Amino acid sequence: MPTVRVAVAGATGNIGALTATALERAGHHVIRISRSLGVDLTTGDGLDAALTGAEAVVDATNCTATDRDEAVAYFGATTRNLLAAGERAGVRHHVLLSIVGVDRVEGNAHYAGKREQERLVAEGPVPWTIVPATQFHDFAAMVTSWTERDGVATIAPLLIQPIAPEDVADILAEIAVGAPQGRHPEIAGPEPQDLVDMARRTNDARGRVVKLVPTWSSLFGPEMAGEVLLPRAGARIAPTTFDEWLAKRR
């Protein structure tokens, strides 16, 4: 395959960094985009220079806002700036990492921002692929880190089908250097998991003692119960199980 020049937005984050590495491992040229590297996606400062010569863009940016309007504004601004700069640079493929279930959950601020991001990409000027992924294998540890106080963490009993971050990165890298596909099949790991059990096993593997309190009154409400976060039929199943991923982190 010929070398492709790919810009990765959010390149210093977990998935962005892994995607950049996967692309380079396959012999492609990577442009890393992040605020710490001198490009501000919220204002567009530095973006035109960064995208010069780019053939594809992977958007793996994230937002920590818990307010719905703030999340929508952030994802809206960054996506508009990326698409506009991509059009000016002649980018041929815009790849957006999204989340399985954003169309089925109304009350979550982050999901509202992702829906706005998907809308802008689908209606935008650059040919695109949207890749909805399930939560990552490190999601349980992340949630407990948000809520833990004095050795006690609240956590919702979500049913998810988590995917290894490395598998997400490999799929994004593969898609970025190919032709735009529109909405890609959802991507997920091999097995459904209970988030509380995942958190317990993660803490055990890391030698941490944390009392877990299952509840729907913390970060995630009952609108996320049941199967709304599981992949639909026809999903692309990545190979790495949660147990395999966790074994490498003991």
Side-chain angles (χ1 to χ4, degrees):
M1 175 180 288
T3 299
V4 179
R5 189 176 177 89
V6 183
V8 178
T12 55
N14 183 25
I15 300 299
L18 289 169
T19 302
T21 298
L23 284 161
E24 289 176 336
R25 190 167 57 239
H28 302 291
H29 182 85
V30 175
I31 308 160
R32 287 172 168 80
I33 294 175
S34 75
R35 184 174 297 171
S36 65
L37 298 175
V39 181
D40 190 338
L41 291 177
T42 60
T43 64
D45 290 346
L47 194 50
D48 283 328
L51 291 187
T52 300
E55 299 167 80
V57 169
V58 175
D59 185 354
T61 55
N62 197 14
C63 174
T64 57
T66 56
D67 176 80
R68 182 188 182 97
D69 291 342
E70 187 179 345
V72 170
Y74 174 83
F75 280 121
T78 57
T79 304
R80 287 186 185 93
N81 287 333
L82 265 178
L83 291 169
E87 183 181 29
R88 290 191 293 270
V91 168
R92 298 198 298 263
H93 191 184
H94 185 101
V95 180
L96 172 64
L97 175 62
S98 191
I99 308 172
V100 167
V102 292
D103 57 330
R104 292 180 280 189
V105 176
E106 283 297 326
N108 185 282
H110 188 75
Y111 281 28
K114 295 299 288 186
R115 285 195 297 273
E116 175 67 1
Q117 197 178 30
E118 287 194 5
R119 183 187 70 80
L120 291 168
V121 169
E123 296 176 0
V126 182
W128 53 275
T129 304
I130 293 174
V131 187
T134 55
Q135 283 73 28
F136 308 143
H137 284 336
D138 56 1
F139 183 62
M142 189 183 311
V143 171
T144 54
S145 74
W146 294 338
T147 66
E148 184 182 345
R149 299 290 183 276
D150 300 321
V152 179
T154 56
I155 185 166
L158 300 178
L159 181 61
I160 64 176
Q161 193 164 324
I163 185 171
E166 295 82 358
D167 288 345
V168 176
D170 288 344
I171 292 170
L172 290 175
E174 170 202 312
I175 290 170
V177 300
Q181 302 179 40
R183 182 164 288 274
H184 187 274
E186 296 172 341
I187 63 174
E191 303 166 336
Q193 301 282 347
D194 172 78
L195 190 65
V196 181
D197 184 59
M198 285 177 65
R200 185 176 297 111
R201 289 154 64 195
T202 301
N203 286 333
D204 288 346
R206 295 177 175 179
R208 301 195 71 245
V209 178
V210 180
K211 180 180 179 181
L212 300 174
V213 181
T215 178
W216 288 114
S217 62
S218 184
L219 296 174
F220 306 107
E223 72 278 1
M224 301 179 85
E227 299 185 351
V228 296
L229 301 183
L230 295 182
R232 294 175 172 89
R236 177 174 175 175
I237 303 302
T240 309
T241 67
F242 178 65
D243 287 331
E244 290 168 342
W245 177 86
L246 197 57
K248 295 179 180 179
R249 280 147 187 85
R250 291 184 182 275

